[in-house]
Amino acid sequence: MTQNKIIIIEDNLLNLELATNLLEANGFVVASAQTAEEGLRLAHELLPDLVLMDISLPGMDGLSATKLLKGDPATRQLIVVGLTANAMKGDEEIALKAGCDGYLTKPIDTRTFVATVKAFIAAANRHSTKSNP
Ligand code: MN
């Protein structure tokens, strides 16, 4: 069975550690970056099943990084899920407009996080099966 690869781009180390631990405990292979620039490099190198993209990052923000991933033929098929702060109303819509396939609000809900990530991957796989039979 192939393991799902996930890249987490998140500058908050507590969130990064929590998300990494939850995913690794459930059999995912996780790579991480604390800046968009490093995350983009990893995405090109690893072509993961899903990218968790913090929207608020130092330097290049997550929205610009998502636009770059979705505008590049080498990476546009990657699933990008935005991580938005709960308090920031309207961030979700902005994340989707930038090209995110979905979003998760922070703080991370440890009870539902892994199931939600799996659902995003399953939904994207159904889509690609449909469009490329
Ligand atoms: Mn951040």
Side-chain angles (χ1 to χ4, degrees):
M1 193 187 137
T2 53
Q3 288 178 300
N4 285 312
K5 266 185 291 182
I6 300 212
I7 291 176
I8 307 173
I9 306 172
E10 165 66 274
D11 63 314
N12 180 299
L13 286 177
L14 286 177
N15 279 327
L16 179 57
E17 219 172 290
L18 177 60
T20 302
N21 290 343
L22 287 168
L23 291 167
E24 285 183 345
N26 284 275
F28 289 87
V29 175
V30 179
S32 64
Q34 291 173 54
T35 63
E37 291 83 352
E38 172 68 3
L40 289 172
R41 195 189 63 72
L42 278 179
H44 277 269
E45 184 185 316
L46 302 175
L47 296 176
D49 298 283
L50 185 140
V51 178
L52 276 174
M53 179 77 79
D54 181 22
I55 297 306
S56 171
L57 291 164
M60 186 193 300
D61 66 28
L63 298 173
S64 305
T66 299
K67 284 180 191 159
L68 286 175
L69 286 175
K70 292 296 183 177
D72 184 334
T75 53
R76 69 177 1 139
Q77 81 284 359
L78 301 180
I79 309 166
V80 180
V81 173
L83 284 172
T84 67
N86 219 353
M88 305 295 282
K89 289 289 168 207
D91 265 13
E92 291 86 356
E93 196 186 336
I94 293 168
L96 297 178
K97 271 197 185 138
C100 287
D101 299 281
Y103 59 85
L104 280 167
T105 51
K106 294 192 280 190
I108 289 168
D109 184 338
T110 56
R111 295 160 304 173
T112 58
F113 176 70
V114 172
T116 305
V117 167
K118 284 181 179 169
F120 277 121
I121 293 174
N125 287 342
R126 276 197 302 279
H127 266 278
S128 60
T129 313
K130 249 184 236 163
S131 52
N132 309 299

